[in-house]
Amino acid sequence: MGRPPSTTRPVGLFCGLAVVDVIQLVQAPPGPDDKIVALDQLIAAGGPATNAAVAFAALGGRATLAAPVGAGPLAELVRADLAGTGVELLDCSDRSGGSDGAGPAPGLSVSSCTITAGTGRRSVISTNARAAVDTAPLDRYVARAACGQETPPDVVLIDGHNPALARAALDLAARVGALTVMDAGSWKDPAADLPARCDVVAASARFYPPGPAGPVTAPQDVARWLLDAGARGVVVTRGERPALWWTAGARGSVQPPQVEAADTLGAGDVFHGALAHALAGVRRDQVTGPVLSAAVERACAVAAASTTAFGTRAWLHQA
């Protein structure tokens, strides 16, 4: 059973990936053996769940991010950025050593991001999730929230990275009646069980689940696969093209606002954070066509606005 938000300020728990984004604005991407001068630059915390949490907080929610961050200069940069955006951090890093216990555990990943001026298109290079995970901090949060010592979340969002954290968060959602949302950017075998446990799955156009004849690629077939798996609502985002949505009894599309995009980096993450904010407090059995359509429309508007300035933080001053 779900329940309405316990406070006027919605509470969201976000689980997944935290990285350091090094973002360069260039006139054109460099060619082989090129060295070019950037027009602008930014360093900020990044990752799907991280940016979604930032968006949720910017829209007035209380956002908690469960992700491995650890120690060191990069970790301090991430902590400072999250504090500045109003996101509470549950650091779920394993600092006991590497996989064999003989050396230091891998630290934060760094994403190298190139934004092309004039188009806003981005290119990203990253190792994704590499930091070792310890679920104990999240387990303690779950225990506190389940017994009322911590305000339980109204909505839980996972991004498919660090599946052990996602499973603990989904267990909490089931106990307290929080709606669950998955940012399904691409299919990940270690996270194969997660879509079936989420109420709303927001997939990119490159999310291809497995099928009997190979990967499922057509949006309507992906939606059917996810609904059959157990989702109450499915969204497929396609950049500036209409976002598509499905429930068991309805389907539709939402045209994002047409804007002059300066930087599309993180727009999908912002969409997911705004979607989570719009759905916070909605019960699982209330995920109907009108409810999902209105949430997608709101998320499209926020995501579009986030692309109108360079960097993943400038839009926060407009939220």
Side-chain angles (χ1 to χ4, degrees), residues 94-105:
D94 181 357
R95 307 188 195 185
S96 61
S99 58
D100 58 2

Side-chain angles (χ1 to χ4, degrees), residues 43-46 50 54 76-87 312-313:
I43 300 178
T50 300
V54 169
E76 290 310 307
L77 185 153
V78 168
R79 291 176 190 279
D81 186 46
L82 293 177
T85 57
V87 175
T312 54
R313 296 292 181 261

Side-chain angles (χ1 to χ4, degrees), residues 27-310:
Q27 199 66 53
D33 206 30
D34 269 357
K35 181 182 290 187
I36 61 176
V37 177
L39 304 174
D40 204 348
Q41 66 179 11
L42 174 72
I43 300 178
T50 300
N51 283 330
V54 169
F56 190 90
L59 294 172
R62 175 186 165 192
T64 297
L65 172 69
V69 171
L74 294 180
E76 290 310 307
L77 185 153
V78 168
R79 291 176 190 279
D81 186 46
L82 293 177
T85 57
V87 175
E88 302 173 39
L89 174 65
L90 278 177
D91 182 9
C92 297
S93 60
D94 181 357
R95 307 188 195 185
S96 61
S99 58
D100 58 2
L108 281 169
S109 296
V110 175
S111 291
S112 298
C113 313
T114 302
I115 312 301
T116 302
T119 68
R121 299 291 184 183
R122 84 284 192 272
S123 299
V124 180
I125 303 174
S126 180
T127 56
N128 284 334
R130 66 190 290 266
V133 173
D134 179 7
T135 63
L138 180 57
D139 292 338
R140 290 192 289 270
Y141 172 93
V142 167
R144 294 195 305 270
C147 69
Q149 295 177 341
E150 175 91 35
T151 303
D154 302 303
V155 63
V156 170
L157 181 143
I158 63 170
D159 67 11
H161 296 278
N162 296 313
L165 295 178
R167 294 183 186 106
L170 294 175
D171 288 344
L172 170 63
R175 293 172 68 179
V176 302
L179 194 79
T180 51
V181 178
M182 182 174 185
D183 167 0
S186 61
W187 179 262
K188 301 174 181 64
D189 286 338
D193 62 308
L194 298 181
R197 298 189 59 189
C198 293
D199 300 316
V200 175
V201 179
S204 77
R206 297 181 180 180
F207 178 79
Y208 303 144
V216 178
T217 59
Q220 65 271 20
D221 295 332
V222 172
R224 176 49 53 195
W225 189 96
L226 290 166
L227 290 171
D228 288 346
R232 291 298 183 98
V234 175
V235 183
V236 175
T237 55
R238 305 182 298 167
E240 68 274 10
R241 298 170 62 198
L244 309 176
W245 62 263
W246 291 261
T247 62
R251 60 178 294 176
S253 64
V254 174
Q255 176 64 55
Q258 299 302 297
V259 299
E260 186 173 342
D263 184 353
T264 59
L265 181 67
D269 307 337
V270 172
F271 176 92
H272 298 122
L275 184 70
H277 187 271
L279 292 171
V282 173
R283 296 197 310 267
R284 190 169 191 263
D285 60 2
Q286 293 176 327
V287 181
T288 62
V291 168
L292 187 58
S293 179
V296 171
E297 184 174 8
R298 172 60 174 154
C300 282
V302 176
S306 77
T307 70
T308 58
F310 168 68

